[in-house]
Amino acid sequence: MIALLTDFGQEDGYVGVMKGVILGIAPDATIVDLSHDVPPQDVATGAWLLHTAWRYFPVGAIFLCVVDPGVGSERRPIALCAADRCFVGPDNGLFSYILPDADQAVLLDDPRYHLPQTSATFHGRDIFAPCAAWLARQTPLAALGSSAPVADLVSLDLPQPHWQAGELMGRILHSDHYGNLITSFGPDLTSRILGDTATVLRLGEREITARASHFAAGPEGAPFLLRDSSGHLAIAVRNGSAAELLGGQRGQLVSIVGLSEME
């Protein structure tokens, strides 16, 4: 199985061409479209979408990920393995959430596994798709190129919650298709926050205290807190968009007031 994640959209033929290359090398491959609607050149959003999806695919799955504003530059083409799955794409932070689980990585520098003619602007077609297809044909990862230390791969500066002046500080990590604002407060912190009704989330000048177990249980027309399917704390609006109502966007500061500091 090869899962595709790109910022290509569906208006041009880029996605179809990559599938054609894959099937030309591995005709029995099962291809799954994870998403092709990553905003153009938005590596951080691509990294988040991959992070929330990859563990739900079977062992042995290959993730072909192309959000690549640095194509043709000195950024490196790579493949890596984590939790018995493989990931192929640019070394630009797209695999940031995967790296803590990675146990092997290579630079895709063996031209035997590329297309004969390699463009400087479409490595998805000429390098990444062929290498993913060769992996689907049981080619060992190490055969695709030179070994690369996982610690040397590029990682984004992922926001981590921290305490400041008695408040738990975090950031908005992602605004999804519905306008739900997903924060950097992970599963454990989310349990603590939702379990303590005295806590307040601040976003700019807005304070949010309402919470719900699911969307339909939230108040109509007002923001509330709930556990996103990723496990992270999210701000939602029932039948509406928290991003539009609150003007929230990725990177914006949020804070939790009233939660006791963990020892």
Side-chain angles (χ1 to χ4, degrees), residues 103-124:
D103 51 25
Q104 185 183 9
V106 298
L107 303 180
L108 301 176
D109 55 8
D110 189 335
R112 292 179 299 170
Y113 298 100
H114 305 170
L115 293 191
Q117 301 294 326
T118 302
S119 164
T121 60
F122 199 178
H123 286 182

Side-chain angles (χ1 to χ4, degrees), residues 63 76-81 86-91 95 104-108 128 131-132 135 141 144 146 148 150 153:
F63 293 84
R76 302 174 297 181
I78 60 170
L80 57 97
C81 282
C86 289
F87 303 82
V88 178
D91 181 28
F95 303 120
Q104 185 183 9
V106 298
L107 303 180
L108 301 176
F128 300 134
C131 286
L135 286 171
L141 184 74
L144 299 180
S146 307
V150 171
L153 301 183

Side-chain angles (χ1 to χ4, degrees), residues 139-221:
T139 303
L141 184 74
L144 299 180
S146 307
S147 177
V150 171
D152 290 346
L153 301 183
V154 174
S155 181
L156 302 175
D157 185 14
L158 302 176
Q160 299 297 324
H162 63 279
W163 292 95
Q164 180 177 310
E167 297 185 18
L168 181 63
M169 313 300 292
R171 299 275 178 182
I172 294 174
L173 289 179
H174 182 66
S175 176
D176 72 8
H177 177 72
Y178 297 98
N180 301 312
L181 300 173
I182 303 165
T183 74
S184 58
F185 302 126
D188 292 340
L189 284 172
T190 295
S191 295
R192 293 190 64 209
I193 294 164
L194 293 178
D196 186 345
T197 57
T199 58
V200 176
L201 183 142
R202 287 179 179 164
L203 173 61
E205 299 297 319
R206 195 71 175 258
E207 293 191 345
I208 303 169
T209 58
R211 56 204 70 206
S213 60
H214 55 281
F215 295 109
E220 192 77 53

